[in-house]
């Protein structure tokens, strides 16, 4: 697990994380103790859990993707019978909602992609009666006592086997949860016919208590003399987010027929616009006005969506722009690329304002356009000043899969960059491991791809990265990048990338080619006698209406192998991002590995936190195969925030 916490602000985040639910259940799934529950979390709930027992510990990451679908990744480590194969994927799906007199009905799959030690399937029905949740069902695999051996012998070990699903022996289970009158305290009980390899029926009981907002501890014991502790942490991106620096209400939208001011000059409009937007901490950095259009580039406060900034700007313009102006064009500056342009039809906004469907009709009055390759001279133009910036960051890593002590490794980084021009930057990073250094391993006879990381000097200040990047556009829809230098701790070289994105589409296409050499094990600037070339094509697709996205990478990776990387997730308008990833290589015989990542903007809970964020990563593809170079400065993260779907996803704030 990796936590990156700029300026140690993560401590404040942990103290302010709100929740609407608590999570129980082995491997992170909502349940009683070892059996699943029929009760879902709230939509968009993110749940992290740690289950501690005498013979097993499980780190888990769950997400309620829709009202009916719950996804979960678990990373178990067994202390007997051999190690786990790393990561497993679970899902639960509710087929029928609970009615006034009828129970809910659903099914679940656990342990997909693992070694079948914890794999199982179940069908479950549930009902809430007063403050008690009751569930009963039938299960296969681990729920019927099978805890070792492949349940689908005909499948290759590295494949995602499915031939064993809902087959072989089955067993019944039941559980209940009572939310007691004591705030935060719940009592748990369950019955399992043959759970986790037990020969006899098992009855279990326990309690859960909410220690703090979002943080719950569960303790339990079983009739077969097993006991354990579980800690779970729940958060929801939709809770706790308060737009910063926009404390006052927005200016009213004024129809042209209601305007009382005469037509004003461009200079007058600019002066009034700067004054009124300044009251909302929105800066005007570019302004142009023609007979029929006003073109404005604004810099809103951190964590303010482009949709809300456009709405606030349009409200002011509605009152001060000449009546002949039919179009408002609003954008936001960026480094290195400005955002796409939100083009608003003034007549459409007037028709939309005040209606019950004002948000929908305002979106119909909007379109998205690419920013021009070069902005024309305007009444006010943005200015660029070269500058140096620096900061400290910490990274904490804990090996929950193979380590017995669970001792975290801490790294302190000093990061700096100098921006020569809008798209040209020199950046570097020095690192030092200040907590639980590893013992340096002897360098291998032949340099490895990733598996030789512990051969690098761990106990002194080291050069993590030092590179020059130049980012520019070949056309309004084609972005490009050239990078050279030491990209990361293990590799340095040269990299080039092009990316195409059309404003009216919900996908982008990218292509990256990189040539690198293996960096020296004990020298800041030297190289080993080993090189590699990667050639990777990428598809970035936004799907649905909730901010969901898919990223697919295909090509030649560092080991010279042909591989596929897949990331799926959800972007939230307030800067949250939840994602899961996996990778496959034609040359690897490992089982499929899953990983999950959570990005939480500090502005979600901490005033004036700018655009800093805490990133938590759990598991993920590792090893020599399907591995690519990091730190080259890939382009899509620079333009993601102004994708058409991202703008539309935040459109609910347009009139706010």
């Amino acid at each position: 697990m990796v936590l990156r916490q700029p300026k140690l602000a993560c401590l404040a985040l942990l103290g302010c994380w709100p929740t609407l639910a608590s999570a129980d259940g082995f491997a992170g799934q909502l349940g009683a103790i070892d059996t699943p529950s029929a009760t879902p979390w709230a939509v968009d709930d993110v749940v992290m859990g740690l289950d501690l027992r005498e013979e097993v510990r499980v780190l888990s990451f769950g997400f309620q993707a829709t009202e009916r679908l719950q996804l979960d990744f678990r990373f178990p480590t067994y202390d007997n019978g051999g190690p786990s194969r790393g990561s497993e994927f679970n899902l639960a799906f509710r087929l029928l909602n609970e009615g006034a007199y009828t129970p809910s009905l659903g099914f679940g799959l656990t342990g997909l992609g693992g070694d079948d030690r914890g794999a199982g399937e179940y069908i479950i029905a549930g009902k809430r009666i007063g403050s008690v949740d009751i569930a009963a069902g039938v299960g296969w695999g681990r729920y019927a006592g099978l805890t070792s051996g492949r349940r689908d012998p005909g499948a290759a070990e590295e494949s995602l086997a499915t031939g064993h699903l809902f087959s072989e022996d089955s067993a019944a289970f039941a559980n209940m949860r009572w939310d007691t009158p004591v705030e935060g305290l719940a009592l748990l009980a369950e019955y399992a016919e043959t759970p986790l390899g037990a020969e006899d029926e098992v009855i279990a009981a326990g309690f859960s208590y909410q220690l703090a907002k979002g943080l719950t501890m569960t303790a339990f014991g079983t009739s077969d003399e097993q006991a354990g502790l579980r800690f779970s942490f729940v958060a929801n991106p939709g809770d706790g987010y308060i737009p910063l620096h926009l404390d006052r209400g927005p200016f009213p939208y004024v129809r042209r027929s209601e305007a009382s001011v005469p037509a004003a000059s461009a200079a007058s409009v600019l002066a009034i616009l700067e004054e009124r937007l300044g009251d909302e901490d929105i800066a005007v950095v570019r302004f142009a006005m023609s007979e029929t259009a006003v073109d404005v580039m604004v810099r809103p406060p951190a964590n303010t969506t482009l949709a809300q900034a456009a709405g606030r700007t349009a409200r002011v313009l509605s009152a001060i722009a000449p009546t002949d102006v039919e179009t408002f064009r609003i954008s936001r500056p960026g480094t290195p690329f400005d955002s796409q342009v939100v083009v608003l039809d003034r007549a459409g906004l007037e028709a939309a304002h005040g209606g019950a469907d004002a948000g929908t009709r305002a979106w119909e009055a909007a379109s998205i356009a690419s920013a021009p390759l070069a902005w024309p001279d305007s009444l006010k133009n943005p200015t660029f000043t070269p500058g140096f910036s620096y900061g400290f960051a910490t990274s904490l890593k804990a090996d929950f899969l193979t380590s017995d002590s669970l001792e975290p490794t801490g790294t302190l980084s000093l990061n700096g960059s100098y921006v020569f021009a809008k798209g040209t930057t020199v950046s570097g990073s020095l690192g030092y491991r200040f907590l639980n250094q590893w013992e340096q391993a002897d360098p291998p006879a032949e340099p490895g791809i990733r598996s030789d990381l512990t051969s690098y000097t761990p106990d002194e200040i080291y050069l993590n990265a030092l590179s020059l990047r130049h980012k520019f556009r070949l056309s309004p829809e084609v972005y490009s990048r050239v990078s050279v230098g030491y990209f990361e701790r293990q590799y340095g070289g040269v990299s080039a990338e092009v990316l195409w994105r059309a404003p009216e589409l919900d996908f982008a296409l990218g292509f990256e080619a990189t040539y690198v050499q293996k960096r020296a094990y004990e020298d800041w600037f030297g190289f080993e006698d080993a090189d590699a070339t990667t050639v990777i094509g990428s598809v970035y697709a936004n799907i649905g209406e909730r901010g969901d996205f898919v990223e697919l990478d295909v090509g030649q990776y560092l080991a010279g192998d042909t591989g596929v990387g897949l990331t799926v997730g959800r972007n939230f308008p307030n800067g949250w991002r939840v994602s899961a990833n996996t990778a496959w290589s034609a040359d690897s015989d490992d089982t499929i590995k899953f990983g999950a990542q959570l990005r939480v903007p500090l502005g979600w809970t901490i005033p004036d936190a700018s655009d800093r964020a805490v990133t938590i990563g759990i598991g993920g593809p590792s090893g020599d195969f399907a591995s690519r170079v990091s730190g080259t400065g890939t382009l899509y993260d620079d333009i993601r925030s102004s994708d058409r779907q991202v703008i539309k996803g935040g459109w609910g704030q347009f009139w706010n």
Side-chain angles (χ1 to χ4, degrees):
M1 182 175 70
V2 180
L3 288 81
R4 298 182 180 87
Q5 44 186 58
K7 299 185 179 179
L8 301 180
C10 182
L11 295 177
L13 175 70
L14 294 177
C16 303
W17 208 316
T19 181
L20 293 178
S22 61
D24 305 301
F26 181 78
Q29 288 197 318
L30 190 68
I33 296 173
D34 271 331
T35 58
S37 167
T39 306
W41 303 322
V43 175
D44 293 336
D45 265 0
V46 177
V47 181
M48 289 169 286
L50 178 61
D51 209 313
L52 300 173
R53 310 189 186 198
E54 182 179 356
E55 297 182 348
V56 62
R57 62 177 177 268
V58 182
L59 183 68
S60 61
F61 182 97
F63 180 56
Q64 188 75 32
T66 70
E67 181 185 356
R68 296 181 182 273
L69 178 63
Q70 179 188 123
L71 305 175
D72 179 81
F73 297 89
R74 70 180 183 185
F75 306 87
T77 300
Y78 299 95
D79 293 336
N80 65 348
S84 160
R85 290 183 183 169
S87 58
E88 298 171 350
F89 171 55
N90 310 328
L91 66 84
F93 190 82
R94 183 152 43 96
L95 295 169
L96 299 176
N97 292 328
E98 180 180 342
Y101 302 103
T102 58
S104 64
L105 180 66
F107 70 90
L109 309 174
T110 66
L112 291 174
D115 60 5
D116 289 332
R117 184 164 186 168
E121 306 83 51
Y122 61 87
I123 298 173
I124 190 169
K127 190 78 175 69
R128 184 170 181 86
I129 304 174
S131 59
V132 179
D133 286 305
I134 300 174
V138 59
W140 293 259
R142 69 179 297 271
Y143 300 110
L146 300 178
T147 58
S148 63
R150 292 192 62 80
R151 294 171 57 208
D152 190 359
E157 287 194 359
E158 68 273 14
S159 68
L160 189 63
T162 58
H164 60 283
L165 298 180
F166 300 98
S167 63
E168 306 299 334
D169 294 336
S170 62
F173 63 85
N175 60 64
M176 63 167 288
R177 173 192 175 99
W178 174 38
D179 293 319
T180 71
V182 179
E183 184 177 0
L185 177 66
L187 300 182
L188 313 170
E190 73 175 19
Y191 162 83
E193 188 174 338
T194 52
L196 295 180
E199 296 181 358
D200 301 319
E201 300 173 335
V202 171
I203 297 174
F207 70 90
S208 68
Y209 185 73
Q210 190 173 52
L211 301 174
K213 288 185 177 180
L215 179 61
T216 299
M217 180 192 74
T218 302
F220 50 86
T222 68
S223 60
D224 61 346
E225 300 182 350
Q226 298 292 317
L229 285 176
R230 178 182 306 121
F231 296 91
S232 58
F233 201 59
V234 187
N236 192 296
D239 298 334
Y241 174 66
I242 300 175
L244 302 179
H245 307 291
L246 299 179
D247 299 327
R248 60 167 291 160
F251 286 94
Y253 192 90
V254 180
R255 293 181 173 85
R256 282 173 287 187
S257 60
E258 301 170 352
S260 59
V261 296
S265 65
S268 299
V269 172
L270 172 59
I272 300 173
L273 182 66
E274 288 184 307
E275 177 185 358
R276 295 188 179 181
L277 289 183
D279 292 340
E280 302 181 16
D281 204 15
I282 298 175
V284 178
V285 298
R286 184 181 179 277
F287 179 86
M289 189 173 81
S290 66
E291 292 183 357
T292 59
V294 173
D295 201 320
V296 184
M297 180 179 289
V298 296
R299 181 179 288 109
N303 302 314
T304 301
T305 65
L306 180 55
Q308 187 176 43
R312 297 237 164 175
T313 304
R315 285 175 177 269
V316 177
L317 288 175
S318 71
I320 64 176
T323 56
D324 290 339
V325 170
E326 296 289 346
T327 304
F328 302 146
R329 297 170 51 87
I330 302 166
S331 58
R332 183 171 56 189
T335 302
F337 305 114
D338 297 329
S339 74
Q340 297 195 111
V341 181
V342 178
V343 183
L344 300 170
D345 176 66
R346 191 174 184 179
L349 292 183
E350 291 176 346
H353 182 254
D357 57 349
T360 300
R361 296 186 66 183
W363 177 251
E364 294 172 351
S367 60
I368 310 299
S370 294
L373 201 57
W375 294 98
D377 286 337
S378 307
L379 182 61
K380 181 172 185 176
N381 294 291
T383 58
F384 174 80
T385 303
F388 175 75
S389 62
Y390 71 95
F392 291 92
T394 58
S395 174
L396 297 177
K397 296 183 180 180
D399 184 354
F400 287 89
L401 301 183
T402 62
S403 170
D404 292 330
S405 64
L406 296 180
E407 292 182 345
T409 298
T411 302
L412 176 67
S413 299
L414 171 61
N415 306 312
S417 64
Y418 185 81
V419 182
F420 290 93
K422 187 171 183 178
T424 306
T425 304
V426 171
S427 61
S429 174
L430 298 177
Y432 178 71
R433 295 189 179 276
F434 65 88
L435 182 64
N436 294 327
Q437 301 284 357
W438 65 58
E439 289 189 15
Q440 184 176 7
D442 293 333
E446 295 290 336
I449 304 301
R450 291 294 188 195
S451 54
D452 57 358
L453 178 62
T454 56
S455 296
Y456 285 84
T457 304
D459 56 356
E460 61 185 39
I461 296 174
Y462 58 88
L463 178 67
N464 186 51
L466 179 62
S467 64
L468 170 68
R469 299 173 185 167
H470 179 55
K471 298 182 179 181
F472 56 100
R473 285 195 292 166
L474 299 173
S475 75
E477 298 178 359
V478 179
Y479 303 78
S480 58
R481 167 189 58 82
V482 177
S483 305
V484 60
Y486 302 95
F487 298 133
E488 51 157 284
R489 187 70 181 95
Q490 292 183 274
Y491 290 98
V494 60
S495 176
E497 181 185 9
V498 293
L499 186 145
W500 171 83
R501 177 184 69 170
E504 69 277 7
L505 300 178
D506 284 328
F507 68 89
L509 304 176
F511 177 83
E512 182 192 44
T514 302
Y515 171 79
V516 291
Q517 280 194 278
K518 187 76 172 177
R519 290 181 60 186
Y521 294 111
E522 296 189 3
D523 183 74
W524 274 29
F525 300 105
F527 289 96
E528 301 293 330
D529 186 18
D531 60 1
T533 300
T534 64
V535 180
I536 300 173
S538 301
V539 178
Y540 308 91
N542 296 312
I543 55 177
E545 300 293 331
R546 298 179 54 85
D548 298 328
F549 66 89
V550 175
E551 298 178 8
L552 180 67
D553 304 309
V554 181
Q556 177 177 295
Y557 286 78
L558 279 172
D561 57 317
T562 299
V564 177
L566 176 65
T567 300
V568 297
R570 178 172 297 167
N571 288 307
F572 295 88
N574 59 4
W576 275 66
R577 181 181 304 145
V578 179
S579 63
N581 60 86
T582 187
W584 173 88
S585 171
D587 294 344
S588 174
D589 57 1
D590 289 337
T591 54
I592 295 176
K593 296 181 179 180
F594 300 100
Q597 190 177 76
L598 175 66
R599 179 188 185 274
V600 183
L602 293 182
W604 188 65
T605 57
I606 302 174
D608 301 318
S610 185
D611 57 355
R612 292 172 294 169
V614 172
T615 300
I616 302 173
I618 303 177
S622 61
D624 290 341
F625 297 103
S627 178
R628 65 188 296 180
V629 181
S630 63
T632 58
T634 50
L635 291 168
Y636 191 64
D637 284 341
D638 293 324
I639 64 175
R640 183 195 303 268
S641 63
S642 68
D643 280 351
R644 190 195 76 90
Q645 190 223 43
V646 173
I647 297 173
K648 184 179 181 181
W651 203 254
Q653 300 178 2
F654 179 82
W655 291 114
N656 293 340

